[in-house]
Amino acid sequence: MSDSTYTPPKVWTWEQESGGQFASINRPIAGATHDKELPVGEHPFQLYSLATPNGVKVTVMLEELLAAGIKEAEYDAWLIKIGDGDQFGSGFVEINPNSKIPALHDRSGSAPVRVFESASILMHLAEKFGRFLPKDGSARTEVLNWLFWQMGSAPYLGGGFGHFYAYAPEKFEYPINRFTMEAKRQLDVLNRELATKTYIAGEEYSIADMAIWPWYGQLVLGRLYDAAEFLDAESYEHVMRWAKAIDARPAVQRGRMVNRAFGELSSQLRERHSAEDFETKTQDKLEAAE
């Protein structure tokens, strides 16, 4: 037993930051920490986000809708810098009291509607425009099965495996082994399903794929936690096939860029207000013009 074994107190109190890369954004209370209004653009949909896997789900969906010719899905995407605490501003908390990205303001109807939680946003948009989610029957249920599988599983992948493998201030064998086992079990679930069908819910691309790919697809492609080799990602051949096929979609490539504030400058479109922004307002072009 390690000398650093922790004995929990009878009542936990918050005495210091939790440690790790994201320590400054973690706290045991909700609510706004400061007054800050959110910017508002001209389009029906106002997205406030960051290109984490959860954020990418929604920008991929919006770009896929636009690629399908649905002009009514035009949107403004505003960067929320979670490291700076933007998600604790009063305007953001009004849209999402849980202070997590992504958050969407739908102004397309007679009264604005707030939509938070990535699965809720995907369903809201799919139902509004009649795309990427069957209207009824077993096909709809199967898409929802996998959409909510992702919502229930990703905390183990991100908050569990990702935290202890990549972000925790110290490496400990027990939590890394515990969450690696679960991450690999989840990959095996996907691999077995994708052995017999093109997409996770069948032969049609859906919001389930859009929800799962930013986490598990990018993981096996080596874009999350630098962990593809550690997890032996290549051994999940059907997940790899699916991940590469979705990665090749132009709308997915655009969606990955929106609200991105890290990586190569040419891949960062920190704000998105029109389709032309992908050609003229990536961070490499903006910095070159300064």
Side-chain angles (χ1 to χ4, degrees):
M1 188 68 68
S2 169
D3 291 338
S4 62
T5 298
Y6 173 63
T7 301
K10 289 184 178 180
V11 178
W12 183 87
T13 57
W14 186 36
E15 297 178 352
Q16 60 184 4
E17 292 183 346
S18 60
Q21 182 173 339
F22 299 105
S24 64
I25 70 172
N26 296 322
R27 59 194 184 111
I29 56 176
T33 61
H34 58 282
D35 290 328
K36 184 177 181 180
E37 294 185 4
L38 291 174
V40 178
E42 64 180 28
H43 296 305
F45 297 97
Q46 300 296 302
L47 178 67
Y48 305 95
S49 192
L50 180 69
T52 66
N54 286 332
V56 167
K57 296 176 193 177
V58 176
T59 49
V60 164
M61 175 61 165
L62 288 163
E63 291 297 328
E64 290 283 10
L65 289 169
L66 292 170
I70 302 174
K71 297 179 180 179
E72 295 81 2
E74 265 296 354
Y75 69 105
D76 293 283
W78 304 94
L79 179 64
I80 297 297
K81 299 178 181 178
I82 62 174
D84 294 347
D86 289 351
Q87 71 276 30
F88 300 121
S90 57
F92 190 91
V93 173
E94 286 180 8
I95 297 180
N96 186 356
N98 196 39
S99 292
K100 301 290 184 182
I101 63 91
L104 181 73
H105 221 193
D106 178 354
R107 306 187 307 159
S108 63
S110 57
V113 176
R114 72 177 188 180
V115 195
F116 59 89
E117 289 297 331
S118 55
S120 180
I121 298 173
L122 291 176
M123 285 189 65
H124 178 80
L125 293 171
E127 291 177 336
K128 190 176 193 72
F129 295 114
R131 297 295 181 100
F132 306 116
L133 175 63
K135 292 183 178 180
D136 50 37
S138 60
R140 176 185 175 86
T141 300
E142 185 69 358
V143 170
L144 296 181
N145 287 340
W146 287 105
L147 175 64
F148 291 107
W149 174 88
Q150 188 279 322
M151 296 296 289
S153 297
Y156 290 96
L157 181 60
F161 173 76
H163 176 75
F164 288 107
Y165 179 77
Y167 300 133
E170 297 179 79
K171 306 293 186 187
F172 291 103
E173 183 177 3
Y174 172 77
I176 291 175
N177 283 346
R178 169 66 181 86
F179 288 106
T180 297
M181 179 170 59
E182 178 61 14
K184 289 182 70 65
R185 189 193 69 80
Q186 292 174 6
L187 287 171
D188 193 42
V189 169
L190 293 174
N191 202 56
R192 291 168 184 264
E193 289 290 320
L194 288 165
T196 59
K197 49 193 176 183
T198 303
Y199 299 105
I200 193 58
E203 296 309 303
E204 299 294 327
Y205 179 57
S206 73
I207 58 173
D209 299 287
M210 297 179 203
I212 295 169
W213 182 86
W215 282 102
Y216 298 87
Q218 294 201 105
L219 180 71
V220 298
L221 293 173
R223 296 176 186 157
L224 290 186
Y225 315 129
D226 194 25
E229 182 179 6
F230 178 74
L231 294 171
D232 191 20
E234 289 288 345
S235 68
Y236 302 98
E237 59 178 312
H238 305 299
V239 179
M240 289 295 300
R241 183 269 307 163
W242 166 86
K244 290 176 181 178
I246 293 177
D247 192 49
R249 296 178 69 91
V252 172
Q253 294 170 12
R254 291 192 296 274
R256 285 187 62 232
M257 296 172 64
V258 179
N259 295 145
R260 188 176 177 89
F262 49 88
E264 295 183 4
L265 294 178
S266 60
S267 72
Q268 298 183 29
L269 184 62
R270 297 185 181 182
E271 289 186 9
R272 186 262 189 219
H273 304 290
S274 73
E276 290 73 24
D277 291 347
F278 291 100
E279 301 298 327
T280 62
K281 293 186 178 179
T282 53
Q283 199 62 23
D284 58 327
K285 293 182 175 66
L286 294 179
E287 293 190 12
E290 291 179 353

